[in-house]
Amino acid sequence: FTDGSAKKERATWAIVIIKEVCLDGRLTYARVGYAAGEVNEALGPVDQNAMDAEATAIIAMVEYAIANCVAPESHVYCHFDAMAVGFGATGVYGMPQQRGSTSTRQKAARILMTVLERRMEQQTGVCEGLHVCAHQGHPWNEMVDGMAKAVWHGWQPQTPFSFASGDLLRH
C-alpha cells in the first residue's frame, strides 16, 4: 500500500508491505514492513505536492519489490488511493501533467514500474496496480495514510529508507 501526503508546501510518503499467507487452511495477511519519509530531491527534482508524494511512495514500493520479490510466480499488487498517479505509474492512464512543474517524479515512477512489470513477466508472476478509495476505512490504506501524516508531524521510522535508484533517476 502506498500513500503520499502534502500540506503547506511540504510532502511526505509512506508504504506498507503485506504478504498473503495461508495459515491453517485460511488466507490471512501479515505486515512484512513499512517505510516512510519526507519527499526530497534524493531522486531528482520534485514538487512538494500530493502527486509527487504518491509517486515517491510508488517508487519506494517498486524498489522493495524488485529487491525482494524474486521467487518464480510472485504476485505484486500496488495499492494506491491517488488514481491519476497510480494508474499513470502502471501505464493504465497517461502520466498526469502539472503546470509549472520541474518534477520528473511521475516519469520515474512509470519507468521503475515498467522494470518491475517486465521482471514479474519473466518470472511468470503478476504485477498490477489497484485503486483503493481513500478514507473509506480500508485498514491497510488507513495505516499507510496515517504513517505519511505522522511523518508530516515529525515522526520518523527507526530505519530510514534509502532509495537505490537515486543516481539513476537524477540523470
Side-chain angles (χ1 to χ4, degrees):
F1 284 81
T2 66
D3 191 70
S5 186
K7 187 176 178 182
K8 297 182 182 177
E9 297 188 31
R10 186 164 156 238
T12 58
W13 63 272
I15 60 171
V16 172
I17 306 296
I18 62 171
K19 181 175 178 142
E20 183 180 86
V21 294
C22 187
L23 186 63
D24 296 328
R26 293 186 354 233
L27 285 179
T28 188
Y29 299 91
R31 181 176 50 85
V32 173
Y34 63 89
E38 294 187 31
V39 174
N40 58 40
E41 293 195 359
L43 298 171
V46 66
D47 295 325
Q48 293 293 314
N49 60 37
M51 292 177 71
D52 276 8
E54 185 76 33
T56 303
I58 290 171
I59 291 168
M61 181 283 306
V62 169
E63 286 193 12
Y64 178 89
I66 287 172
N68 295 287
C69 298
V70 295
E73 300 184 23
S74 292
H75 291 30
V76 175
Y77 298 99
C78 176
H79 295 80
F80 48 81
D81 60 12
M83 281 177 89
V85 178
F87 285 138
T90 59
V92 174
Y93 294 173
M95 286 184 287
Q97 300 296 314
Q98 300 174 53
R99 288 188 177 176
S101 174
T102 58
S103 176
T104 58
R105 200 61 50 105
Q106 308 297 315
K107 182 178 178 183
R110 178 67 193 127
I111 290 168
L112 288 175
M113 186 63 81
T114 300
V115 170
L116 177 61
E117 289 165 348
R118 290 197 177 135
R119 177 175 285 184
M120 291 294 106
E121 287 172 8
Q122 291 170 349
Q123 297 172 340
T124 62
V126 173
C127 178
E128 187 175 341
L130 300 170
H131 178 253
V132 177
C133 291
H135 313 294
Q136 298 297 311
H138 189 291
W140 295 109
N141 191 60
E142 294 299 329
M143 177 184 282
V144 75
D145 179 66
M147 288 171 48
K149 285 180 174 48
V151 170
W152 194 88
H153 289 287
W155 174 79
Q156 291 293 318
Q158 289 180 332
T159 305
F161 189 85
S162 178
F163 287 97
S165 59
D167 288 339
L168 174 71
L169 297 176
R170 274 194 293 274
H171 302 291

